[in-house]
Amino acid sequence: MSERDENGREWVERGVDVSVPSIARVYDAALGGKDNFAVDRAVADELIRAVPGAREGALANRAILSRGVRFLVEQGIDQFIDLGSGLPSAENTHQVAQRHNPGASVVYVDIDPIVLAHGRALLAENSRTRVVTADARDPKAVLALPAVRELIDFDRPVGLLMVAIVHHLEDDEDPAGIVRTYLDALPSGSYLFLTHFWANGTPEAAVIEKVLHGAHNTGRFRSREEIAGFFDGLDPVEPGLVNLPLWRPEERVPDPLPVSGTLLLGGIARKP
């Protein structure tokens, strides 16, 4: 990606520090996207060199997004808040949801201003989708945003997506409290869809955590029990909290899973 936008203005003039890697852009680079800078590609390349299955792990996270959103639409969910959504890629939340229900509403929330720039260009003619720049660590501020209030009816069930975002919250930021504050604002019948790095004891998990902390001071691997705690008080959807390739797969899954398939856990649960 050029450090100038389509009108020739430099990203730095928009307040973007292109010398500092961004989680959204590193993820884009890991997926093979083009909306990233050299500094982001350097982190992605380091991850892939250290853990050859890292790119496959990112792709597995993207694949479960599509399966999970389709499942939620099948349950009657027609409005979504996608926190830490990242840069537009293939099979975004609004594309999956609106393919199955053209009237579905989606609000993307990300702290990276480049997500806003690219998202607005992509969604210029989509009246049922918004992209906002905000810090997901401040639930009350996010939920009060005009774009959120305009599209999301909090008297009806909502699909809350926290896909590969909670592991970027450190323990002292109270991730469980943040998740709970979002859920408390949602009515009965809403769903939480969450994926998270898993401290599975493998060298690969340790390496990824080390690389991410070196580049971002973020990327916390947690135990199964800690991840399951984010779903406390909710009714889990089968098959529960599992490795991402095992969540309602559409194709045959290798047994045993490759390391790339064991790096994250994910699941969906319903608010009673």
Side-chain angles (χ1 to χ4, degrees), residues 35 62 87-90 92 94-95 108 115-126 129 131:
D35 295 322
R62 198 69 193 178
L87 285 151
S89 181
N92 296 286
H94 75 281
Q95 292 169 319
Y108 293 108
V115 173
L116 176 64
H118 283 272
R120 280 183 173 171
L122 178 68
L123 302 169
E125 298 181 1
N126 190 316
T129 308
V131 184

Side-chain angles (χ1 to χ4, degrees), residues 107-179:
V107 177
Y108 293 108
V109 180
D110 202 283
I111 198 170
D112 190 329
I114 293 182
V115 173
L116 176 64
H118 283 272
R120 280 183 173 171
L122 178 68
L123 302 169
E125 298 181 1
N126 190 316
S127 63
R128 304 301 303 167
T129 308
R130 299 285 186 277
V131 184
V132 296
T133 301
D135 189 340
R137 292 172 297 185
D138 189 349
K140 292 182 179 179
V142 169
L143 295 169
L145 289 169
V148 175
R149 290 289 165 178
E150 177 185 352
L151 280 191
I152 305 299
D153 178 357
F154 287 92
D155 291 326
R156 298 192 301 109
V158 175
L160 177 66
L161 275 59
M162 304 189 81
V163 176
I165 177 176
V166 178
H167 52 227
H168 293 300
L169 304 177
E170 293 298 315
D171 290 346
D172 60 6
E173 294 176 303
D174 189 19
I178 290 172
V179 174

Side-chain angles (χ1 to χ4, degrees), residues 9-31:
R9 291 172 298 175
E10 295 183 357
W11 283 109
V12 292
E13 294 176 355
R14 297 187 177 191
V16 178
D17 186 348
V18 300
S19 68
V20 177
S22 151
I23 288 296
R25 300 194 307 266
V26 169
Y27 186 48
D28 178 74
L31 290 170

Side-chain angles (χ1 to χ4, degrees), residues 245-261:
L246 300 178
W247 197 90
R248 299 179 177 246
E250 298 171 343
E251 301 175 352
R252 181 179 174 277
V253 178
D255 184 15
L257 287 172
V259 171
S260 61

Side-chain angles (χ1 to χ4, degrees), residues 1-254:
M1 177 173 69
S2 169
E3 293 184 9
R4 296 177 178 271
D5 66 12
E6 66 277 7
N7 297 316
R9 291 172 298 175
E10 295 183 357
W11 283 109
V12 292
E13 294 176 355
R14 297 187 177 191
V16 178
D17 186 348
V18 300
S19 68
V20 177
S22 151
I23 288 296
R25 300 194 307 266
V26 169
Y27 186 48
D28 178 74
L31 290 170
K34 298 180 179 179
D35 295 322
N36 49 75
F37 297 115
V39 67
D40 308 303
R41 292 189 291 276
V43 176
D45 289 346
E46 184 179 358
L47 287 170
I48 292 166
R49 283 195 304 271
V51 182
R55 174 160 286 162
E56 287 70 23
L59 291 169
N61 191 72
R62 198 69 193 178
I64 194 179
L65 174 70
S66 179
R67 300 197 304 276
V69 170
R70 186 176 70 248
F71 169 83
L72 292 175
V73 174
E74 291 169 350
Q75 309 315 302
I77 299 297
D78 63 358
Q79 46 182 3
F80 299 83
I81 301 174
D82 189 344
L83 300 170
S85 55
L87 285 151
S89 181
E91 291 293 277
N92 296 286
T93 298
H94 75 281
Q95 292 169 319
V96 178
Q98 292 171 0
R99 182 185 308 132
H100 298 281
N101 180 354
S105 300
V106 178
V107 177
Y108 293 108
V109 180
D110 202 283
I111 198 170
D112 190 329
I114 293 182
V115 173
L116 176 64
H118 283 272
R120 280 183 173 171
L122 178 68
L123 302 169
E125 298 181 1
N126 190 316
S127 63
R128 304 301 303 167
T129 308
R130 299 285 186 277
V131 184
V132 296
T133 301
D135 189 340
R137 292 172 297 185
D138 189 349
K140 292 182 179 179
V142 169
L143 295 169
L145 289 169
V148 175
R149 290 289 165 178
E150 177 185 352
L151 280 191
I152 305 299
D153 178 357
F154 287 92
D155 291 326
R156 298 192 301 109
V158 175
L160 177 66
L161 275 59
M162 304 189 81
V163 176
I165 177 176
V166 178
H167 52 227
H168 293 300
L169 304 177
E170 293 298 315
D171 290 346
D172 60 6
E173 294 176 303
D174 189 19
I178 290 172
V179 174
R180 180 56 49 193
T181 300
Y182 280 110
L183 288 171
D184 286 347
L186 305 183
S188 174
S190 295
Y191 287 83
L192 171 64
F193 176 13
L194 182 147
T195 69
H196 195 295
F197 281 136
W198 178 32
N200 60 10
T202 63
E204 290 82 0
V207 168
I208 291 176
E209 187 169 36
K210 181 179 178 181
V211 171
L212 288 176
H213 268 268
H216 300 286
N217 195 30
T218 183
R220 174 85 157 76
F221 281 64
R222 293 187 168 95
S223 69
R224 177 182 291 273
E225 292 71 25
E226 288 175 303
I227 299 169
F230 296 123
F231 294 95
D232 282 352
L234 306 180
D235 297 328
V237 168
E238 289 295 334
L241 183 65
V242 295
N243 291 129
L244 305 194
L246 300 178
W247 197 90
R248 299 179 177 246
E250 298 171 343
E251 301 175 352
R252 181 179 174 277
V253 178

